[in-house]
Amino acid sequence: MEKAEITEKQRLLLEKLSQAQVVLVGIGEEFNEGFEDIGKFPELMSALEEVDTNPTLEWTVPFLEKCYLTQHNEGRIIDAYAALYELIKHKDYFIVTTCIDGNIGKVDFDKERIVEPCGSYAALQCSKKCNDTLVLPEAFSGLVYQAISDGVGLDSLERPVCRFCDAPLAFNNILCEKNYVEAGYKSQWEKYTDWLQHTLHKELCVLELGVGMSLPGIIRWPFEKAAFYNKRASFFRINEQLYHITKELENKGISIAMHAADFLNGYDLQKGKTEGLS
Ligand SMILES: [Zn+2]
């Protein structure tokens, strides 16, 4: 897209956001953590080398990922979350994200207004799903972190297991596939569907950010439906590749062919261009 076109679409989004009574945000694949900055954490790098030479330590990788996610608090994606926060912080919003990395929690969004239906690294579950109990991982993650920072090695650790069936514990997210315990996000999902029901007769701005087609039933299709049935909706689809808008939404849909993080980071928030959104 040309620079002038980007500026015009940024202006249009600001206008629609300022008019909107409710803002529905979907965050997808373009925001997934890519672990690109792993090289900045030497102790994690050497831990991964240890795993490479000893495949029985493969189980520690998700815990090392959690260590990375806990320590890594900068970069293009975090900046984009901060920009999004500035855009919607005074609004009645709800965010649905398919990301499991929890990076969205590094910005001041109201956690009561976020649902993560694909789970995260915030809790552990039985990998065999013998029950629905979720366990906080902090005590164990602390041991992993201590092992790698003290240099005692990962093989000093014991793999955490389910207290009911002795199967290994796994992080409560979709990487558990058919054994994923969905109880972790259900109460937020109920809040979200209830919130969405009350948006029908309100001025709605739907903002779909970097959402691809890997899980279209969570964001893409329901968001299209929400925009279609709401007569006062505007619909923004921002995506580098999958930016096309369906025919049914062509009157209210704005397609932006750009990486959603770059689009958000393009706002000059320091100069107060977002003033007046409250
Ligand atoms: Zn179990």
Side-chain angles (χ1 to χ4, degrees):
M1 284 199 309
E2 296 290 324
K3 194 163 184 306
E5 193 188 348
I6 297 170
T7 310
E8 170 54 20
K9 291 195 168 166
Q10 284 175 329
R11 190 203 58 74
L12 192 60
L13 176 59
L14 286 185
E15 183 188 307
K16 294 291 181 188
L17 283 174
S18 70
Q19 292 164 358
Q21 294 166 289
V22 278
V23 181
L24 173 62
V25 183
I27 295 175
E29 290 89 325
E30 285 185 346
F31 281 74
N32 282 342
E33 175 63 58
F35 299 96
E36 291 97 349
D37 286 341
I38 191 96
K40 292 182 182 169
F41 301 91
E43 73 280 9
L44 286 175
M45 289 299 281
S46 46
L48 288 169
E49 277 164 27
E50 193 186 345
V51 174
D52 264 351
T53 55
N54 182 357
T56 61
L57 295 175
E58 193 68 39
W59 66 269
T60 61
V61 172
F63 292 92
L64 297 173
E65 288 172 352
K66 183 170 171 75
C67 286
Y68 172 91
L69 290 166
T70 308
Q71 297 174 72
H72 182 252
N73 292 310
E74 54 180 27
R76 168 201 195 200
I77 298 296
I78 312 286
D79 289 348
Y81 281 128
L84 176 65
Y85 175 71
E86 288 303 318
L87 290 173
I88 65 171
K89 65 183 178 184
H90 298 302
K91 290 288 171 180
D92 179 1
Y93 64 84
F94 217 106
I95 302 175
V96 185
T97 175
T98 57
C99 296
I100 62 170
D101 46 53
N103 281 333
I104 193 167
K106 294 172 183 172
V107 171
D108 288 338
F109 290 109
D110 180 353
K111 288 182 178 43
E112 295 302 310
R113 294 174 175 273
I114 300 175
V115 61
E116 298 169 296
C118 297
S120 68
Y121 288 75
L124 292 165
Q125 64 158 86
C126 172
S127 59
K128 292 207 172 141
K129 203 185 179 179
C130 78
N131 69 91
D132 276 1
T133 311
L134 298 179
V135 182
L136 290 178
E138 270 60 31
F140 192 76
S141 305
L143 288 178
V144 174
Y145 184 67
Q146 204 178 343
I148 60 174
S149 46
D150 293 354
V152 295
L154 296 170
D155 55 2
S156 65
L157 296 167
E158 257 179 70
R159 187 173 192 175
V161 293
C162 170
R163 66 189 161 102
F164 302 104
C165 77
D166 247 14
L169 292 179
F171 283 104
N172 175 228
N173 60 46
I174 50 165
L175 300 179
C176 289
E177 299 180 359
K178 66 177 182 9
N179 287 340
Y180 174 40
V181 172
E182 306 208 29
Y185 73 88
K186 282 293 185 223
S187 66
Q188 275 309 102
W189 188 262
E190 278 164 24
K191 259 184 229 168
Y192 160 57
T193 50
D194 184 55
W195 177 91
L196 191 59
Q197 270 177 9
H198 291 91
T199 64
L200 190 59
H201 301 292
K202 292 180 178 165
E203 192 107 11
L204 169 70
C205 179
V206 181
L207 192 49
E208 195 198 82
L209 300 168
V211 181
M213 287 303 286
S214 58
L215 296 160
I218 297 178
I219 297 174
R220 270 184 92 107
W221 296 340
F223 277 34
E224 285 175 355
K225 198 170 140 194
F228 180 75
Y229 284 109
N230 182 315
K231 291 192 170 47
R232 299 157 74 193
S234 58
F235 179 90
F236 289 82
R237 170 164 286 160
I238 312 175
N239 196 302
E240 201 161 19
Q241 311 278 339
L242 300 163
Y243 48 82
H244 292 292
I245 299 253
T246 55
K247 213 170 167 43
E248 292 78 16
L249 287 177
E250 59 190 12
N251 295 330
K252 44 183 127 177
I254 293 121
S255 160
I256 300 172
M258 189 172 174
H259 194 291
D262 292 342
F263 184 81
L264 291 169
N265 286 333
Y267 278 105
D268 198 349
L269 299 162
Q270 308 310 323
K271 290 188 182 159
K273 285 192 181 171
T274 56
E275 274 173 15
L277 282 178
S278 52

